[in-house]
Amino acid sequence: MQLSGLVLIAFCFFSQKAQAQLVYKFVKVECNGNASRVRNESCSLKAINWNVGVLNGELVLLGTVWNPIIQVQVFKKDYANQFKPFLIDVKLHMCQVIERKSFIPYGVMMWKILKKYTNLNHSCPYSGHLYAKDGYLTSDVLPPFPQGVYIFSFMFSDENSTHTEYVGTLKLYTEVMEKVKSRKKPKAKGN
Ligand SMILES: *[C@@H]1O[C@H](CO)[C@@H](O)[C@H](O)[C@H]1NC(C)=O
Ligand SMILES: *[C@@H]1O[C@H](CO)[C@@H](O)[C@H](O)[C@H]1NC(C)=O
Ligand SMILES: *[C@@H]1O[C@H](CO)[C@@H](O)[C@H](O)[C@H]1NC(C)=O
Ligand SMILES: *[C@@H]1O[C@H](CO)[C@@H](O)[C@H](O)[C@H]1NC(C)=O
């Protein structure tokens, strides 16, 4: 499934290559946490221009997340405005990716993004105040997706040899579209 997803995305890449530049614009965000593992979680988007909305978010971990697992799932909005699973459904063992014991492509992408925009830029485990600042996606870190509206869902859990505990979820509604070029920039004021 995962490999066929990559192959299909690679196919989309080659068939879209000659076309206009794509942008991945965050349009809505939802986050929630397991109240016995997370406090004070918040997340929000700020519009920067026609092509970019940036993500800010934070939370406080109660205790320690020793072995974070991220389940990444992608959903695409169809013609009936329903979100349907879209190719990617993968479970990332982030400590292994960070320690370079796993080179799973989506894990490597995730780690690049986390290092750039969050304070999760160190090896396992994680505790305390975690945040993401002014995060956004660009076409050079992601495989090209067909144009449309997606949900990128990230479900975080903590796993040991016997238990898996849900920690929290981040859902990013993202519009994949051609870059808007000719219009004037909106005033750089955020909301
Ligand atoms: C959550 O926020 C409240 C209000 O700002 C603060 O008093 C509390 O200490 C915070 N909780 C944690 C676990 O940091
Ligand atoms: C991790 O990110 C924080 C916040 O951006 C920064 O202050 C810190 O120096 C970074 N640490 C490493 C090891 O890159
Ligand atoms: C796994 O996690 C559970 C729940 O936190 C804990 O009770 C258990 O002792 C842990 N097991 C191991 C082998 O660390
Ligand atoms: C939240 O975490 C607690 C332990 O810290 C666990 O027992 C519980 O199952 C988790 N909740 C969910 C919805 O997974």
Side-chain angles (χ1 to χ4, degrees), residues 63-81:
T64 300
V65 172
W66 296 99
N67 183 26
I69 309 292
I70 308 178
Q71 173 137 22
V72 182
Q73 287 175 290
V74 178
F75 302 85
K76 185 174 193 290
K77 200 190 240 182
D78 69 10
Y79 294 106
N81 280 335

Side-chain angles (χ1 to χ4, degrees), residues 38-40 59-62:
V38 169
R39 285 290 149 77
N40 294 359
L59 57 79
V60 178
L61 285 178
L62 301 177

Side-chain angles (χ1 to χ4, degrees), residues 33-38 62 157 163-167:
N34 180 344
S36 52
R37 301 291 307 251
V38 169
L62 301 177
S157 55
H163 288 69
T164 297
E165 273 181 16
Y166 170 67
V167 176

Side-chain angles (χ1 to χ4, degrees), residues 47-98:
I48 299 298
N49 60 37
W50 294 108
N51 297 304
V52 181
V54 295
L55 170 69
N56 287 288
E58 62 181 328
L59 57 79
V60 178
L61 285 178
L62 301 177
T64 300
V65 172
W66 296 99
N67 183 26
I69 309 292
I70 308 178
Q71 173 137 22
V72 182
Q73 287 175 290
V74 178
F75 302 85
K76 185 174 193 290
K77 200 190 240 182
D78 69 10
Y79 294 106
N81 280 335
Q82 306 275 343
F83 283 98
K84 295 284 166 58
F86 179 81
L87 300 175
I88 298 169
D89 182 352
V90 59
K91 204 172 143 184
L92 306 173
H93 292 75
M94 288 312 295
C95 303
Q96 291 179 17
V97 172
I98 295 164

Side-chain angles (χ1 to χ4, degrees), residues 2-166:
Q2 191 192 320
L3 186 65
S4 65
L6 268 185
V7 168
L8 210 130
I9 286 170
F11 174 76
C12 296
F13 175 68
F14 289 113
S15 54
Q16 279 186 352
K17 214 175 165 180
Q19 295 174 21
Q21 195 188 342
L22 290 179
V23 295
Y24 295 74
K25 185 184 179 183
F26 296 152
V27 291
K28 182 177 153 191
V29 64
E30 293 169 356
C31 51
N32 64 68
N34 180 344
S36 52
R37 301 291 307 251
V38 169
R39 285 290 149 77
N40 294 359
E41 68 270 25
S42 70
C43 53
S44 63
L45 295 180
K46 189 165 83 175
I48 299 298
N49 60 37
W50 294 108
N51 297 304
V52 181
V54 295
L55 170 69
N56 287 288
E58 62 181 328
L59 57 79
V60 178
L61 285 178
L62 301 177
T64 300
V65 172
W66 296 99
N67 183 26
I69 309 292
I70 308 178
Q71 173 137 22
V72 182
Q73 287 175 290
V74 178
F75 302 85
K76 185 174 193 290
K77 200 190 240 182
D78 69 10
Y79 294 106
N81 280 335
Q82 306 275 343
F83 283 98
K84 295 284 166 58
F86 179 81
L87 300 175
I88 298 169
D89 182 352
V90 59
K91 204 172 143 184
L92 306 173
H93 292 75
M94 288 312 295
C95 303
Q96 291 179 17
V97 172
I98 295 164
E99 290 164 21
R100 303 174 69 82
K101 289 177 185 159
S102 159
F103 294 91
I104 179 171
Y106 294 116
V108 174
M109 273 177 224
M110 177 70 64
W111 179 228
K112 264 189 203 161
I113 294 167
L114 290 175
K115 275 193 293 192
K116 197 163 174 189
Y117 298 115
T118 76
N119 69 340
L120 284 76
N121 52 359
H122 58 79
S123 51
C124 298
Y126 292 96
S127 59
H129 180 223
L130 303 180
Y131 60 85
K133 190 160 165 42
D134 295 338
Y136 61 99
L137 296 175
T138 52
S139 54
D140 56 331
V141 291
L142 283 188
F145 284 70
Q147 290 185 36
V149 178
Y150 296 83
I151 297 174
F152 293 111
S153 166
F154 305 92
M155 195 181 89
F156 297 80
S157 55
D158 190 11
E159 201 174 280
N160 66 19
S161 54
T162 55
H163 288 69
T164 297
E165 273 181 16
Y166 170 67

